[in-house]
């Protein structure tokens, strides 16, 4: 039997404990009823459709998880910051999200140059980061162990384009026109060149410009003189549209080739008919009949009355990979999330994902043809 004294002290300790736990629990609930995730996106600027699609997708995702909440009913809030596709801005808003908003992780940015500027900041703060779309290999290798992505990388994308143009289009001579100040553009240009030459083709022109340039006539005149079978334009839709118009008006009728940066509802709005007779590699096709794609298209359509592009698909996937990692970590501890991210193994809208040692998913690509002012599914390419 317990003595009265012992009983009294047991009781008081229990009571004290209850008071402390009570207070503690209250503060914890107040502070962490919400799980904040930073989202760094180009919501305005030259690639604004990318940021808008990404934000649309993340909102659908948050709504889906917030019906029940995660980790005992906590709600997910994406805190959005606009980097306008300017790497210096990406760094500033990353600091703000980490230091002021105290986000537990970051989704973003979109362009490789922007994600390259966020990676080291996330790494220093030990905040897990996942970019939906940045395909340049350096994003994760330079960013380090806290930086992941939801997309394939450009050595793969360059190879897919080179093989497709030599094997499927029978191209022997390729010209390339790329932006020297854009990591994505430089990388894709170089990986394509290497693979195209390995496939027995010849790169007859390798011309450059700078971000923001609007007159490409000098480079295109040089390119025209080499009569290429294909012309690779590894840039984003706005610049690609401009270049395509100038190329066609100089009489270049070669098939145009591009990468994922072409995927925008504004591609034809900027480039018009000049974009026809083109092919670009991409991350997903709305024509895919997998359950993940069908469900995602239905949800996106219901919310926004439009078909989601690859930006939306990858952003949805990136957010989902991250939230699932938080759930399987059972906590918002950065290292636990990072380890759970590395152990990802699931099927998403853009395909099945597991990570290699550099935190890159291995996954397939699709080729889209631009024809009669529309994007048409051409083929699927596995790694
Ligand atoms: N891959 C591009 C980059 O790294 C970004 C992008 C992805 C743009 C997908 C459009 C669609 O900069």
């Amino acid at each position: 039997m317990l003595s009265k004294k012992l009983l009294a002290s047991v009781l008081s300790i229990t009571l004290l404990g209850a008071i402390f736990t009570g207070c503690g629990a209250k503060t914890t609930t107040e502070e962490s009823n919400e799980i904040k995730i930073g989202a760094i996106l180009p919501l305005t600027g030259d690639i604004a459709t990318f940021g808008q699609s990404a934000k649309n997708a993340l909102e659908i995702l948050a709504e889906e998880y917030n019906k029940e909440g995660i980790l005992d009913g906590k709600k997910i809030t994406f805190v959005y910051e606009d980097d306008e596709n300017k790497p210096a801005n990406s760094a500033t808003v990353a600091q703000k999200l980490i230091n002021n908003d105290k986000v537990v992780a970051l989704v973003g940015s979109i362009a490789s140059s922007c994600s390259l500027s966020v990676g080291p900041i996330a790494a220093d703060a030990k905040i897990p980061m996942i970019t939906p779309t940045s395909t340049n290999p350096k994003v994760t290798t330079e960013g380090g162990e806290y930086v992941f992505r939801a997309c394939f990388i450009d050595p793969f994308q360059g190879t897919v384009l080179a093989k497709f143009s030599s094997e499927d289009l029978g191209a022997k001579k390729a010209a390339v026109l790329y932006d020297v100040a854009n990591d994505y553009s430089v990388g894709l240009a170089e990986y394509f060149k290497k693979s195209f030459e390995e496939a027995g083709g010849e790169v007859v022109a390798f011309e450059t410009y700078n971000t923001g340039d609007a007159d490409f006539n000098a480079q295109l005149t040089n390119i025209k003189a080499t009569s290429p079978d294909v012309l690779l334009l590894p840039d984003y839709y706005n610049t690609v549209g401009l270049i395509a118009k100038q190329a066609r008006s100089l009489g270049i009728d070669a098939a145009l080739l591009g990468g994922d940066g072409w995927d925008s509802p504004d591609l034809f709005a900027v480039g018009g008919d000049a974009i026809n007779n083109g092919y670009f590699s991409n991350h997903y096709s709305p024509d895919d009949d997998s359950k993940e794609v069908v469900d995602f298209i239905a949800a996106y359509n219901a919310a926004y009355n439009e078909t989601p592009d690859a930006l939306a698909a990858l952003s949805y996937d990136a957010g989902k990979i991250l939230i699932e990692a938080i759930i399987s970590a059972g906590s918002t501890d950065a290292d636990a999330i990072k380890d759970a991210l590395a152990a990802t193994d699931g099927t998403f809208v853009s395909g099945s994902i597991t990570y290699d040692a550099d935190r890159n998913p291995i996954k397939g690509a699709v080729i889209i043809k631009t024809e009669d002012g529309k994007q048409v599914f051409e083929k699927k390419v596995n790694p």
Side-chain angles (χ1 to χ4, degrees):
M1 251 209 3
L2 288 170
S3 75
K4 265 192 185 164
K5 209 173 156 196
L6 188 58
L7 192 66
S9 56
V10 167
L11 270 179
S12 62
I13 287 168
T14 319
L15 200 67
L16 263 181
I19 291 168
F20 276 120
T21 341
C23 292
K26 196 167 170 222
T27 335
T28 324
T29 330
E30 273 168 7
E31 277 172 5
S32 62
N33 218 348
E34 178 183 58
I35 295 177
K36 283 196 207 165
I37 298 174
I40 303 175
L41 304 171
L43 295 168
T44 63
D46 60 343
I47 55 171
T49 71
F50 292 169
Q52 294 299 339
S53 290
K55 183 176 178 188
N56 285 348
L58 291 176
E59 284 301 282
I60 296 182
L61 186 71
E63 206 180 302
E64 284 171 10
Y65 278 100
N66 286 344
K67 280 188 192 127
E68 308 213 329
I70 67 164
L71 307 187
D72 294 327
K74 295 186 185 61
K75 303 281 191 234
I76 291 164
T77 306
F78 285 105
V79 184
Y80 297 97
E81 288 293 341
D82 181 10
D83 67 11
E84 300 169 42
N85 187 30
K86 293 180 182 148
N89 293 8
S90 316
T92 309
V93 299
Q95 299 281 13
K96 183 228 162 222
L97 288 166
I98 294 170
N99 300 326
N100 302 2
D101 297 302
K102 311 273 183 227
V103 298
V104 303
L106 292 170
V107 173
S109 184
I110 296 298
S112 289
S113 296
C114 291
S115 294
L116 276 163
S117 101
V118 177
I121 295 169
D124 272 359
K126 296 200 189 326
I127 290 289
M129 155 181 164
I130 180 164
T131 166
T133 53
S134 296
T135 43
N136 188 285
K138 290 184 291 181
V139 171
T140 54
T141 52
E142 288 183 5
E145 56 172 344
Y146 288 84
V147 183
F148 294 77
R149 72 179 105 218
C151 50
F152 52 63
I153 54 174
D154 289 330
F156 171 67
Q157 183 165 215
T159 307
V160 165
L161 288 167
K163 275 194 161 174
F164 175 76
S165 45
S166 61
E167 290 169 14
D168 296 49
L169 302 179
K172 304 259 180 300
K173 296 199 289 179
V176 180
L177 176 56
Y178 67 98
D179 181 349
V180 277
N182 173 335
D183 294 284
Y184 162 69
S185 193
V186 174
L188 194 50
E190 286 171 352
Y191 298 120
F192 170 84
K193 181 171 187 283
K194 185 165 174 279
S195 298
F196 192 74
E197 288 170 348
E198 277 168 12
E202 191 190 349
V203 175
V204 289
F206 205 61
E207 295 276 334
T208 62
Y209 54 91
N210 241 295
T211 308
D213 285 358
D215 180 354
F216 307 92
N217 279 291
Q219 297 94 318
L220 289 168
T221 304
N222 293 342
I223 287 171
K224 186 173 183 224
T226 65
S227 327
D229 302 314
V230 290
L231 166 57
L232 175 71
L233 304 175
D235 205 334
Y236 308 125
Y237 62 94
N238 254 315
T239 311
V240 166
L242 271 183
I243 296 176
K245 276 186 166 162
Q246 294 177 22
R248 298 303 192 210
S249 62
L250 279 176
I252 297 177
D253 54 12
L256 302 180
L257 278 184
D260 52 355
W262 281 33
D263 189 21
S264 166
D266 282 1
L267 178 68
F268 281 101
V270 183
D273 286 346
I275 290 291
N276 288 331
N277 189 24
Y279 299 87
F280 67 98
S281 47
N282 209 355
H283 303 269
Y284 117 112
S285 163
D287 299 331
D288 194 329
D289 58 6
S290 77
K291 181 178 181 328
E292 286 74 16
V293 171
V294 171
D295 289 353
F296 175 62
I297 291 180
Y300 198 94
N301 229 316
Y304 308 109
N305 202 19
E306 63 185 39
T307 305
D309 55 16
L311 260 295
L314 285 177
S315 301
Y316 183 87
D317 284 357
K320 187 160 186 165
I321 291 166
L322 180 60
I323 294 170
E324 287 296 327
I326 296 174
I327 294 171
S328 82
S331 104
T332 52
D333 173 74
D335 284 311
I337 298 175
K338 174 201 73 164
D339 292 343
L341 278 171
T344 297
D345 185 357
T347 305
F348 300 87
V349 177
S350 63
S352 301
I353 293 184
T354 53
Y355 283 109
D356 71 7
D358 288 325
R359 296 160 305 284
N360 298 318
I362 318 257
K363 55 203 280 214
V366 295
I367 302 272
I368 311 269
K369 182 173 190 187
T370 50
E371 191 177 46
D372 301 328
K374 286 191 306 281
Q375 296 191 10
V376 185
F377 173 77
E378 174 82 11
K379 70 185 282 193
K380 221 171 176 163
V381 187
N382 290 317

